[in-house]
Amino acid sequence: MNQKHSPQTNCCEKPTHNLIGIQIAAEPPKTKDQQNEVCCGSPPGPESSRFEKPGYALLDFVEVFVQTPAGPVPRVKTDLRWRDFAGTIRARLGIKRAQYKIAPGLYCVGEPDAQAPVLVTANYKLTFDELRKNLKDISAWILVLDTRGINVWCAAGKGLFSTAELINRVDRSNLNAVISHKKLILPQLAATGVASHVIKKTIGFKVIYGPVRARDIPKFLANELATEPYMRKVTFNTLERVILIPVELAHLPKPSFWILLGIFVASGIGTHIFSFSAAWLRGIMLAIAYGAGILAGAIVTPTLLPWIPGKSFAVKGAIVGAISAAVIVVWFRSDLGFLGALALMLCTTAVGSYLAMNFTGSTPFTSPSGVEKEMRKAIPFQASALLIALIAWVGSAFMG
């Protein structure tokens, strides 16, 4: 004889009973307020968004999806949240900076129609956030190119914010079905990567270069796509330089570990073959000189850049490094001979020069060819200075 089991119920439901063939229906469905009541355990979580799809994450900066002739387009928020600020801090510190990007494609803000402007940008999320936060109370389409998570200016120089990518993205997003005009507004700093005449000839769109800074876009749109002189000016003030310093420092921990290890090994070599006490005492002096070089080249030089003599970044860093080295030598003068003082001077100067030269790539002052030219001239001197510093430092241990 088969035994039938009654259906399993939870503590919040009243089961359907079958008494002597008489079916008693369950209670009618509960209202949303009743469903949110706590009858046992924890209250239910938030209701799933109607835009969620299995296997896909709904990004928190997406507000809703707008139906267009090209399909659903995400409308993004123009106010930044704590996740956006946390992501910006991580990117500024160089933490997973290459992965800080969004999917390329078509987005929108406000309630854009077929006549709304199309703003083109990179898929580096920091750049995307800077754009959308300046579009409050504006209705526009945002076409995001695949720049591999690199900002507009650098991506244009690397050939990622390019003519081919722009043509490809216009085609893949089916932009022609969404808008009725033929205008694309590009950042001014993208001009080096995009040939506007090719865009016009290939897909029929006119390229209009907007202002340098995203904060000027509302006024640019209000001026009927006309820029004012200040909107075209590229600045690199103290705040804009200082904000880049953490990224420069983020590259240093790993090589610095091996450099410091080498410093302590070299400092222990002497008349007794190797001395751990000398490695510690002398190593601290050389490590401080190395740290002073980092301070000079990666922090002081970028901060005081316009006021330091010289045009070359390597020269500027060397000047600040030499001043820092002089302070270190005076500080340790009772423990140093001529060779030791020479080693500290050359170490701090060379490190400061190299790191300042490395900062060139973050500035609007020089072209890629100019950076390469400076590196070809400076690196041999920097490497020679470090080699002489190492020989003088080890040699100073035998001069006591």
Side-chain angles (χ1 to χ4, degrees):
M1 183 176 181
N2 294 331
Q3 187 176 8
K4 295 183 179 180
H5 297 277
S6 60
Q8 192 175 16
T9 62
N10 63 39
C11 63
C12 298
E13 294 177 340
K14 292 184 178 180
T16 299
H17 299 284
N18 192 329
L19 301 176
I20 319 177
I22 302 175
Q23 183 74 28
I24 302 176
E27 292 184 352
K30 295 183 179 181
T31 65
K32 179 175 284 190
D33 289 339
Q34 290 174 326
Q35 291 172 355
N36 289 335
E37 290 178 359
V38 182
C39 57
C40 60
S42 302
E47 197 174 5
S48 294
S49 168
R50 63 190 176 94
F51 300 112
E52 291 182 13
K53 292 183 179 181
Y56 293 87
L58 188 65
L59 299 172
D60 56 358
F61 60 80
V62 175
E63 188 175 62
V64 72
F65 282 80
V66 178
Q67 292 301 322
T68 72
V73 172
R75 182 167 68 207
V76 299
K77 302 169 185 175
T78 55
D79 57 322
L80 304 187
R81 307 297 174 86
W82 70 270
R83 289 180 184 272
D84 303 311
F85 292 116
T88 296
I89 292 172
R90 288 196 301 270
R92 292 297 187 191
L93 294 175
I95 302 172
K96 294 184 177 180
R97 190 168 181 262
Q99 286 77 47
Y100 196 51
K101 59 184 180 179
I102 64 169
L106 190 61
Y107 298 78
C108 71
V109 290
E111 301 287 345
D113 57 18
Q115 291 294 324
V118 180
L119 303 168
V120 184
T121 191
N123 75 329
Y124 180 36
K125 189 170 182 293
L126 197 151
T127 300
F128 180 72
D129 287 348
E130 186 66 25
L131 174 61
R132 66 185 176 96
K133 80 176 185 180
N134 284 285
L135 298 179
K136 189 175 182 180
D137 301 325
I138 291 175
S139 294
W141 303 101
I142 302 175
L143 185 64
V144 177
L145 306 190
D146 185 4
T147 60
R148 318 285 180 85
I150 298 177
N151 65 69
V152 171
W153 182 46
C154 292
K158 292 176 181 290
L160 298 174
F161 198 117
S162 65
T163 304
E165 169 57 18
L166 180 56
I167 293 172
N168 173 63
R169 201 54 54 186
V170 168
D171 180 61
R172 292 187 64 176
S173 62
N174 199 10
L175 187 62
N176 278 308
V178 178
I179 60 175
S180 59
H181 60 84
K182 291 285 187 177
K183 297 177 182 177
L184 298 173
I185 301 172
L186 273 64
Q188 181 182 308
L189 295 181
T192 56
V194 178
S196 57
H197 65 285
V198 176
I199 301 295
K200 179 69 174 178
K201 182 179 179 180
T202 306
I203 56 176
F205 277 85
K206 178 183 179 181
V207 171
I208 300 171
Y209 289 105
V212 171
R213 291 166 292 275
R215 65 173 179 264
D216 293 326
I217 289 178
K219 190 170 183 179
F220 168 76
L221 296 175
N223 288 347
E224 299 182 349
L225 308 187
T227 57
E228 297 183 17
Y230 76 90
M231 295 182 184
R232 296 289 193 189
K233 186 177 181 181
V234 177
T235 61
F236 199 49
N237 58 39
T238 303
L239 179 60
E240 291 169 336
R241 296 193 302 273
V242 169
I243 204 171
L244 297 174
I245 290 175
V247 176
E248 299 298 315
L249 295 175
H251 302 299
L252 293 177
K254 187 175 181 179
S256 291
F257 170 80
W258 296 106
I259 290 171
L260 290 173
L261 182 62
I263 283 174
F264 281 93
V265 171
S267 298
I269 300 173
T271 54
H272 299 289
I273 301 178
F274 188 84
S275 168
F276 285 100
S277 61
W280 176 251
L281 295 175
R282 283 166 45 80
I284 287 178
M285 289 190 288
L286 191 54
I288 289 175
Y290 172 69
I294 293 176
L295 177 66
I299 299 177
V300 177
T301 301
T303 303
L304 304 179
L305 194 64
W307 301 285
I308 302 173
K311 183 178 180 181
S312 166
F313 280 58
V315 171
K316 288 175 180 285
I319 291 172
V320 179
I323 295 172
S324 303
V327 175
I328 300 297
V329 168
V330 171
W331 186 9
F332 290 119
R333 63 185 181 278
S334 60
D335 300 313
L336 294 172
F338 171 75
L339 288 180
L342 176 64
L344 296 189
M345 284 289 297
L346 291 175
C347 173
T348 304
T349 302
V351 171
S353 176
Y354 177 80
L355 293 178
M357 180 186 67
N358 194 55
F359 188 72
T360 313
S362 301
T363 75
F365 293 161
T366 56
S367 63
S369 59
V371 174
E372 293 178 4
K373 182 178 180 181
E374 180 176 349
M375 291 177 65
R376 285 195 299 268
K377 291 181 178 180
I379 287 179
F381 288 99
Q382 295 161 354
S384 299
L386 288 175
L387 180 60
I388 295 171
L390 178 61
I391 295 172
W393 187 249
V394 173
S396 66
F398 294 90
M399 299 297 290

